Amino acid sequence: MDCHMEPEVAAAVIALVASVLVAGANIGWTASENRKIRAQADRIAEAQSADAEALEKLKHRLDMEAKEEEWHLEERKALAMELGRYRLPMFAAATDLGHRIKNIRNDSFLSYLASDSERRDVALRSTAFRVARYFAVLEIIYEQIGFLPFEREDEANDVVAVLGKIGSTFASDKYDRDDRPWYRARFMIWREEQRAIGEIARQSSSDADRDALIGFASFTENWDGRVHPWFARFVEELESGFAVESTRLRLLQSHLSELVRLLDIEGRFKDPKIVPEWIKRAEAESSVEQQTE
């Protein structure tokens, strides 16, 4: 076969082949670029989807945090209102107990407990009554609001913190032991005992008068029945005369003075001239103790 091809035909064939190759290359390049563009679009779409999901999660988290903060704010308001409701009864109970502790420690109150004193029983029972009334008000607050946790700067939480210190000081077995074993620490009243004492000083558990406290007359009438078993050891330790040197009572006086200061929002004791003597003594002792630490 004659394969000879005219130059013009050969040139045309070569040009055709070249154009086909170029076209093929263009098609391949275009397809590759299209794949790249599609891949890039897919990545952008994925990123946008991820961003949208992340944004939605962020919005959800912020919404939940806002709701939680609103809840805490409402709870703080509720706590402040409840503490405000019982502020005056707690103020009175803490003041009376702090004053009696000061009389015991500093003013020879225990002289009334001499066996020939006609006021012996009143001295013993009135001291027990002041302890019981303090725990009764505290029991009411426990029942109503349960001491929910709040931020430290909240004023209500400061009151709760001091109430906690008073409760712990009563309950601890590390005070007033001397050479005694830990289980015989003087004036120790455990939490359960505190609550039981608070219960017997309440008038009733009914809704109608759930916040009412019994008076001293009723407390005395029930002394030989419900009351005395809870105070038998406390009375015995009062009669021993040790209370004058009691570390527990000193600390309680200090904590009670701090509580009264927090509850005194009317500023009754703002003027140093009218600050009760028991608070002055407590604050002076606390200041000396802090300086020696």
Side-chain angles (χ1 to χ4, degrees):
M1 182 187 322
D2 185 3
C3 295
H4 177 72
M5 186 179 296
E6 293 294 330
E8 294 81 359
V9 175
V13 171
I14 292 172
L16 177 60
V17 172
S19 64
V20 170
L21 293 175
V22 170
N26 287 336
I27 292 173
W29 179 85
T30 302
S32 176
E33 288 301 307
N34 287 339
R35 285 195 298 271
K36 291 180 180 179
I37 291 172
R38 285 196 298 271
Q40 186 175 13
D42 290 343
R43 287 195 295 270
I44 292 173
E46 290 175 0
Q48 290 175 338
S49 177
D51 288 344
E53 184 178 354
L55 180 61
E56 191 62 30
K57 288 182 178 179
L58 176 61
K59 288 173 61 179
H60 178 72
R61 181 169 61 83
L62 293 176
D63 287 343
M64 294 300 294
E65 289 177 356
K67 290 179 181 178
E68 185 176 0
E69 178 60 27
E70 182 179 358
W71 181 83
H72 280 301
L73 178 61
E74 292 301 318
E75 289 295 330
R76 286 196 295 270
K77 288 180 180 178
L79 176 62
M81 289 178 64
E82 288 296 331
L83 285 177
R85 179 182 177 187
Y86 300 110
R87 182 178 57 81
L88 289 179
M90 178 59 70
F91 179 90
T95 298
D96 285 349
L97 181 55
H99 186 267
R100 177 55 56 87
I101 291 175
K102 174 258 184 185
N103 285 348
I104 290 172
R105 296 183 60 234
N106 306 119
D107 294 336
S108 302
F109 180 83
L110 295 182
S111 297
Y112 285 114
L113 304 188
S115 58
D116 58 349
S117 172
E118 61 182 12
R119 303 192 66 82
R120 177 181 180 280
D121 287 345
V122 175
L124 282 173
R125 296 177 187 185
S126 64
T127 300
F129 176 70
R130 295 192 186 201
V131 174
R133 188 169 63 148
Y134 171 83
F135 285 139
V137 176
L138 195 61
E139 180 65 17
I140 292 170
I141 297 176
Y142 267 124
E143 184 178 281
Q144 297 302 315
I145 59 180
F147 289 169
L148 299 176
F150 295 97
E151 295 177 6
R152 182 64 186 85
E153 65 267 22
D154 193 286
E155 181 179 302
N157 198 57
D158 291 336
V159 173
V160 172
V162 177
L163 293 175
K165 287 195 294 185
I166 294 171
S168 296
T169 302
F170 266 116
S172 175
D173 59 24
K174 69 180 181 180
Y175 304 120
D176 297 349
R177 286 169 52 181
D178 294 340
D179 56 350
R180 292 181 166 211
W182 54 269
Y183 54 85
R184 294 190 62 196
R186 298 178 178 92
F187 303 112
M188 180 172 63
I189 304 176
W190 287 350
R191 298 283 189 175
E192 294 79 6
E193 295 174 296
Q194 294 173 28
R195 301 199 69 172
I197 290 170
E199 288 176 14
I200 64 175
R202 295 177 67 180
Q203 192 172 86
S204 173
S205 60
S206 67
D207 291 339
D209 52 4
R210 64 184 181 181
D211 296 349
L213 307 179
I214 64 173
F216 181 57
S218 297
F219 186 83
T220 300
E221 289 173 3
N222 292 321
W223 181 261
D224 293 328
R226 297 180 65 201
V227 176
H228 184 262
W230 293 105
F231 281 101
R233 187 176 62 254
F234 186 86
V235 167
E236 178 184 338
E237 289 160 355
L238 271 180
E239 292 177 315
S240 72
F242 174 81
V244 175
E245 303 299 328
S246 169
T247 298
R248 192 187 309 276
L249 295 185
R250 175 175 59 79
L251 292 174
L252 286 171
Q253 185 176 340
S254 176
H255 297 331
L256 287 165
S257 70
E258 186 180 357
L259 177 61
V260 168
R261 288 290 199 184
L262 287 171
L263 296 173
D264 184 23
I265 61 176
E266 293 88 0
R268 292 180 179 85
F269 303 147
K270 186 176 182 180
D271 185 351
K273 295 179 181 178
I274 61 174
V275 174
E277 183 64 26
W278 74 270
I279 293 181
K280 290 181 180 178
R281 283 181 176 270
E283 292 177 342
E285 289 176 339
S286 179
S287 177
V288 170
E289 185 174 337
Q290 290 175 3
Q291 292 175 4
T292 57
E293 288 180 351

